[in-house]
Amino acid sequence: MRELGIIEDGAVLVAEGKIVAVGTTDEVAKHQSLTSKPAHVKEIDCRGKAVLPGFVDSHTHPVFTAPRLIDFEKRITGASYEEIAEAGGGIHSSLRGVRDATCSKLAEHVRKALDEMALQGTTTVEAKSGYGLSFAAEMKSLEAIREASHQWAGTVIPTLLGAHVVAPEYRDDPEQYLGIICEDMIPAAAKLRLAAFVDVFCERGAFTMEQSVRILHRASDNNLGVRAHVCQLTPAKLAPLVEFHPASLDHLDFVSDEDISVLAKLDTVATLLPAANYFLGLETFPPARRLIDSGVPVALATDYNPGTAPTPSMTLVMSVACTHMKMSPAEAIVAATYNGACALHLRDRKGSLEPGKDADIAIFEALDYRELAYWFGTNRCRETLLKGVHQTGAQISR
Ligand SMILES: [Zn+2]
């Protein structure tokens, strides 16, 4: 996780959305396609800049319509979850917004979030549904993700999170809601190819381990990938989830040493989401050091969502990971790029600058890679290439 493969005075040659060559400027200048037809080449001068693979934000919840300002203000005064809900905040306010919105309105919100992410160096985004919590509203959310992804030059990986919490109508009969997830949502998402993954919030107050296992079973039966939110607020044994070979297990604030040893033997990525800890004002952060030192691959993601992590910034997450989780700046970069790609089963296409991979490139105002996690509260990303398509500053060209 510490090897960045830095090339001083480097260059990247891109054609038709793919990386063709990577090396020193001298090496790349000798590439056959440059010597034979140089007139077609557009050059981006990156002198004095750090050029990285675009960030892979492997955990976001972008389908919502409004910020949760009641939660924000109430939480500062020490209000409880129940008091926030009574004041009209909480997940149910997002739920109303999503259920009432049209698909194109939701897509517009998602698209704005994707654009904002790209301006900060992110080129691949995993996007979850999960604020609809009915068959119709979850399908609409996934369709909005699809619509937004068609309007964006980057790559979006859609995930069904119908199992975010039990829908309020079924609070007294969670079994019935579980039936809707397993018998309606998952088969439909698979059939319509609206999701690549199924996610579940396995936590006190959301879904039990036994319920989570049933949901992931159904996902596997429908040939969808699986991932889970787990150990965010309370400890849980990971063994039942690990059976499904999840691409990623996310949060893991309360993961046990025993389970860390198990994860170290697997391909499953531990995706850590410290922006949520920061925003909730928690004193503890996910145990990155214990995981990395035990050999578990760690990814970092924003957890972009209206309740607990309203940030599109991967560099902010990297900064928090360095200052509060003691990850090194190099580990933070690997976690935000290559390991994020692994967490989405995209390591062949994303996460590093190598010939044959997608031309997803972020150009930062920095003389040293350590500056990425060092500056915070600012955006030093100057240009982003999404599969070769250029995005700069305030203007978006495609
Ligand atoms: Zn999440």
Side-chain angles (χ1 to χ4, degrees):
M1 285 198 62
R2 289 187 197 91
E3 284 190 23
L4 297 181
I6 293 169
I7 301 171
E8 298 284 348
D9 186 24
V12 185
L13 180 63
V14 169
E16 290 169 4
K18 297 276 183 193
I19 295 172
V20 176
V22 181
T24 63
T25 301
D26 282 348
E27 284 164 2
V28 172
K30 286 178 196 137
H31 193 272
Q32 188 200 352
S33 63
L34 286 180
T35 47
S36 59
K37 40 179 179 176
H40 298 283
V41 175
K42 182 185 170 198
E43 193 180 324
I44 301 171
D45 186 349
C46 298
R47 269 177 290 195
K49 304 226 168 43
V51 177
L52 284 94
F55 295 129
V56 178
D57 192 347
S58 57
H59 184 135
T60 82
H61 305 252
V63 191
F64 60 89
T65 56
R68 294 234 293 265
L69 304 177
I70 293 171
D71 304 35
F72 182 52
E73 195 173 45
K74 285 270 171 193
R75 200 184 295 120
I76 291 165
T77 66
S80 68
Y81 185 82
E82 289 76 18
E83 287 165 336
I84 291 170
E86 269 167 35
I91 192 168
H92 296 117
S93 61
S94 298
L95 192 92
R96 273 191 301 277
V98 167
R99 286 182 178 181
D100 291 347
T102 61
C103 182
S104 58
K105 196 76 198 160
L106 291 178
E108 193 185 312
H109 280 278
V110 175
R111 163 67 193 279
K112 278 187 187 158
L114 295 172
D115 279 341
E116 207 183 356
M117 290 170 181
L119 291 174
Q120 308 204 33
T122 298
T123 51
T124 299
V125 175
E126 185 259 14
K128 303 175 199 294
S129 66
Y131 293 117
L133 305 186
S134 69
F135 176 74
E138 286 296 303
M139 292 302 118
K140 179 173 67 178
S141 299
L142 290 174
E143 278 161 14
I145 291 169
R146 175 181 282 179
E147 194 176 318
S149 73
H150 287 162
Q151 299 163 9
W152 192 58
T155 302
V156 177
I157 304 298
T159 294
L160 170 66
L161 180 59
H164 200 175
V165 293
V166 173
E169 300 86 336
Y170 299 102
R171 199 174 296 152
D172 298 328
D173 188 6
E175 273 305 307
Q176 207 181 335
Y177 185 62
L178 215 70
I180 294 170
I181 296 171
C182 290
E183 305 313 323
D184 300 335
M185 292 184 194
I186 292 174
K191 188 165 171 238
L192 300 169
R193 296 183 182 279
L194 283 170
F197 289 97
V198 170
D199 195 344
V200 56
F201 191 23
C202 179
E203 188 60 69
R204 187 183 60 198
F207 293 86
T208 66
M209 184 59 78
E210 187 264 333
Q211 291 169 332
S212 302
V213 162
R214 279 161 60 196
I215 291 163
L216 297 189
H217 237 299
R218 202 76 185 110
S220 295
D221 288 348
N222 281 272
N223 294 318
L224 294 170
V226 304
R227 50 206 313 110
H229 292 62
V230 65
C231 293
Q232 179 183 5
L233 308 170
T234 54
K237 291 218 184 313
L238 301 184
L241 300 177
V242 162
E243 295 283 308
F244 295 94
H245 307 289
S248 172
L249 293 175
D250 299 33
H251 284 292
L252 296 177
D253 292 53
F254 289 92
V255 67
S256 69
D257 285 336
E258 202 183 334
D259 278 337
I260 287 178
S261 329
V262 173
L263 287 177
K265 299 188 192 92
L266 306 173
D267 281 346
T268 299
V269 174
T271 300
L272 308 183
L273 308 162
N277 302 59
Y278 162 80
F279 189 74
L280 293 172
L282 304 183
E283 280 164 21
T284 56
F285 284 81
R289 260 308 21 114
R290 277 164 55 213
L291 287 157
I292 294 170
D293 294 342
S294 307
V296 179
V298 164
L300 289 169
T302 59
D303 195 15
Y304 180 82
N305 79 77
T308 62
T311 179
S313 171
M314 287 293 282
T315 54
L316 173 83
V317 172
M318 289 158 61
S319 172
V320 175
C322 291
T323 55
H324 290 267
M325 292 149 66
K326 309 303 171 201
M327 286 174 70
S328 72
E331 287 169 340
I333 287 176
V334 172
T337 55
Y338 188 80
N339 285 5
C342 294
L344 297 176
H345 289 161
L346 291 174
R347 79 173 85 183
D348 296 337
R349 281 171 57 200
K350 307 286 184 184
S352 58
L353 299 178
E354 294 178 80
K357 285 198 170 185
D358 291 341
D360 292 342
I361 301 173
I363 302 167
F364 280 85
E365 188 72 46
L367 293 170
D368 186 300
Y369 72 90
R370 290 170 292 191
E371 291 185 52
L372 269 83
Y374 169 84
W375 301 105
F376 73 100
T378 182
N379 176 23
R380 296 199 150 217
C381 180
R382 295 293 173 257
E383 296 182 49
T384 311
L385 292 182
L386 306 113
K387 286 181 264 173
V389 177
H390 208 209
Q391 176 152 350
T392 56
Q395 141 268 338
I396 298 157
S397 63
R398 59 169 58 78

